[in-house]
Amino acid sequence: MKAPGFWYQPAGPLAALLSPLACLYALGARRRQAKAAPQGAGIPVICVGNLVAGGAGKTPVAQAVMRALRARGVQAHYLSRGYGGRLTGPLRVDPAEHCAADVGDEPLLLSRTAPAWISADRLAGARAARDGGAQALVMDDGFQNPALAKDLSLLVVDGGAGFGNGHVIPAGPLREPLADGLARARAVVIVGADRTGAAVQVAGLAPTLPILTARLVPDAAVAAGLAGRPVLAFAGIGRPGKFFDTCRELGLTMTEALPFPDHHPYAEAEIARLVDRASALGAVPLTTEKDWVRLPAAYQTAIKALPVVLAFDDPAALDRVLGTVS
């Protein structure tokens, strides 16, 4: 699904027209949180979530949290709903057995670096992971899910998109009112240049909430291997333009830049045409890691992925926020 364009423009007549429905949506979100009785998993739970519908860069932040916990000797596991997969869990992702159609692209990607679990029932998944040896959990998404108690929540903001027009669904991209979400967070992580004034908005509503800034750094070896070679770039993520901007910043020559919907399930015939198109242009087909794990297995060797890692502007900032959670 692609977010409506007016969500990320100054609020206008359409947002105003939909504001009564947005009020009902916000009321429902508040009631859900107020009526909830979150239950613990018996181990620390760190949630990496966001406030808008669509992608914000949660997965690289979750990976950074995992690295920080593992550096402390904490045997943490990932927990995800498994969006886009057919299996409901709870189950531990096995990259040798499961594909993105089974468990979703994000859990499959995360399982490369640490044990990852999926479960439509987050509480059941958390307890299954605990029984499977997890000493802590890093949740990719799930901030609005009240069933599982969180020890610490980080809110991720895409610096290029911010909070959109500031309205709640369907008048804007917010899953709940901004102030409500900030009140349950321990810190905000802004990924990329803050082009929308998100930090100012956060500071105005939650002046004591730490704001961490970070950027996505492409893998240097892969980038060097692509230098001087034309690429056909494609991406089916929350904001494909971010990936294309990264390619431009690396100085890559893009013969074409093809956007797809977030979590797009690539069909074999579709990818065959894309590979043929790249070949005709003398270009390397290039995509994100999250897209690459959704590709038909027969075509993965023909398509290059550009890995990225999250780098904090203040390397010690995340450790300060995590504090003694372990």
Side-chain angles (χ1 to χ4, degrees), residues 106-214:
E106 288 153 350
L108 194 60
L109 180 60
L110 293 171
S111 70
R112 295 176 171 185
T113 55
W117 296 75
I118 63 157
S119 182
D121 181 332
R122 294 282 173 72
L123 180 59
R127 291 175 173 172
R130 175 202 63 198
D131 295 344
Q135 297 176 339
L137 287 171
V138 178
M139 287 180 64
D140 186 350
D141 209 358
F143 181 71
Q144 283 77 26
N145 186 315
L148 176 61
K150 292 100 172 169
D151 294 87
L152 184 154
S153 291
L154 304 176
L155 283 177
V156 183
V157 181
D158 180 338
F163 303 110
N165 62 13
H167 288 260
V168 173
I169 296 169
L174 290 174
R175 299 177 178 182
E176 60 181 307
L178 183 54
D180 293 7
L182 294 175
R184 302 196 313 277
R186 180 73 65 87
V188 169
V189 181
I190 299 178
V191 180
D194 183 5
R195 304 184 189 281
T196 65
V200 173
Q201 291 176 270
V202 171
L205 292 169
T208 62
L209 195 64
I211 299 174
L212 285 58
T213 56

Side-chain angles (χ1 to χ4, degrees), residues 30-45:
R30 283 176 175 154
R31 284 183 174 173
R32 187 184 186 203
Q33 295 295 333
K35 292 173 64 177
Q39 298 184 54
I43 54 176
V45 175

Side-chain angles (χ1 to χ4, degrees), residues 218-263:
D219 183 277
V222 174
L226 292 168
R229 303 172 67 188
V231 300
L232 186 154
F234 68 98
I237 55 177
R239 282 213 308 130
K242 285 198 302 182
F243 176 62
F244 304 145
D245 287 344
T246 297
C247 291
R248 294 186 187 98
E249 289 164 7
L250 288 172
L252 302 182
T253 301
M254 287 190 293
T255 59
E256 290 186 12
L258 306 176
F260 290 88
D262 196 13
H263 299 285

